[in-house]
Amino acid sequence: MHLDLSGKTALVTGSTQGIGEAIAAALARAGARTAVNGRKAEAVDAAVARLREDVPGANLVGVPADVSTEAGAAALAAELPEVDVLVNNVGIFGAKPALEISDDEWRRYFEVNVLAAVRLTRTYLPGMRERGWGRVQYIASDSAVAIPAEMIHYGVSKTALLGVSRGFAKEAAGSGVTVNCVIAGPTHTGGVEDFVYQLVDRSLPWDEAQREFMRLHRPQSLLGRLIEPEEIGNLVVYLASPQASATTGAAVRVDGGYVDSILP
């Protein structure tokens, strides 16, 4: 299957590192003009430079903006008025006992993890509908359906994205625009190796260490290893492609079978 996004403009929020950067790379490889976003211009510039090395000939644009604020989202829209593929990836997470999460923290998680995505969907979906083609995606998490006790504010914010995605899919019905959620499972990102080696023997080679970590601490995974960010990028590219024209309103899992359910 040849996935060609030539002539399309894609925006990936929070794409200066980790999963977001891998998604941006995958979209660029598929031929999309890809906008890299982050809060700080220096981080955006650095990510664009890495992507140019990783994807020779990539059509990239850096768009620094804090999309968790109305002003930041407006500034981004002014720089990038039309988008064909919107990937709402930006998010924050952190562990905290449930009874110690303050109102301000709950608000912050919803501003960044939920409302940023809502704002940008509200910004770009009308243009997609007018043009008769578009793709909106939300990067969620297994935590959306298996709420972690140590960070319920994060989990609940990702649960909200499932509802946001389904609702906007109905708003886009019959227009040629698809709206979907991607449920990512335990992923190999920055800092994860240190975390794994806190829990398993540091003398083990990385491949053995991550498999031991998954066996002991994430036994419900059917994959038996951490997911690579590129694997999430591959699914995003497929959902962004013309070949995925009949997939909308869905929560599509790339979680290695982590969620023990036959439904999302």
Side-chain angles (χ1 to χ4, degrees):
M1 185 183 294
H2 180 59
L3 304 179
D4 185 6
L5 294 174
S6 299
K8 305 298 185 186
T9 295
L11 166 63
V12 186
T13 64
S15 48
T16 59
Q17 61 182 347
I19 292 172
E21 186 172 344
I23 291 171
L27 289 165
R29 284 193 192 95
R33 173 180 178 246
T34 304
V36 177
N37 163 257
R39 288 180 302 147
K40 298 179 180 178
E42 314 86 74
V44 171
D45 291 344
V48 169
R50 287 193 300 272
L51 288 166
R52 288 197 196 284
E53 287 189 12
D54 190 33
V55 189
N59 188 351
L60 300 166
V61 57
V63 191
D66 183 357
V67 296
S68 70
T69 68
E70 292 182 61
L76 184 146
E79 287 288 318
L80 197 68
E82 287 190 1
V83 163
D84 302 297
V85 178
L86 169 63
V87 182
N88 292 291
N89 168 75
V90 71
I92 55 174
F93 69 96
K96 188 138 191 189
L99 297 179
E100 295 178 16
I101 304 169
S102 68
D103 285 1
D104 284 343
E105 285 176 284
W106 276 103
R107 291 188 189 99
R108 178 168 172 259
Y109 270 73
F110 268 78
E111 284 285 352
V112 178
N113 293 1
V114 183
L115 289 179
V118 170
R119 288 188 190 101
L120 292 179
T121 305
R122 203 167 54 215
T123 297
Y124 290 115
L125 180 56
M128 294 179 184
R129 289 198 305 190
E130 288 172 13
R131 295 188 297 275
W133 198 94
R135 301 287 186 262
V136 179
Q137 297 183 45
Y138 304 86
I139 306 303
S141 161
D142 56 85
S143 296
V145 288
I147 304 292
E150 72 277 9
M151 49 182 182
I152 67 168
H153 51 340
Y154 170 75
V156 170
S157 71
K158 292 299 184 177
T159 306
L161 281 184
L162 300 182
V164 165
S165 176
R166 182 70 184 180
F168 277 120
K170 293 179 179 179
E171 181 65 21
S175 68
V177 179
T178 66
V179 183
N180 293 290
C181 220
V182 172
I183 298 179
T187 304
H188 182 190
T189 57
V192 166
E193 291 190 19
D194 287 339
F195 176 66
V196 167
Y197 280 121
Q198 288 174 12
L199 298 172
V200 302
D201 186 350
R202 285 187 175 273
S203 68
L204 290 174
W206 169 246
D207 189 59
E208 291 180 37
Q210 67 162 321
R211 289 184 180 277
E212 182 71 357
F213 165 78
M214 296 298 285
R215 185 182 71 81
L216 294 174
H217 301 283
R218 300 292 187 272
Q220 61 269 51
S221 169
L222 304 182
L223 195 61
R225 63 165 174 82
L226 291 166
I227 297 160
E228 293 299 324
E230 293 78 11
E231 294 174 302
I232 297 169
N234 292 339
L235 178 58
V236 170
V237 170
Y238 168 69
L239 290 175
S241 73
Q243 285 88 335
S245 54
T247 302
T248 192
V252 186
R253 287 163 51 187
V254 56
D255 69 342
Y258 183 83
V259 176
D260 189 12
S261 171
I262 60 173
L263 295 173

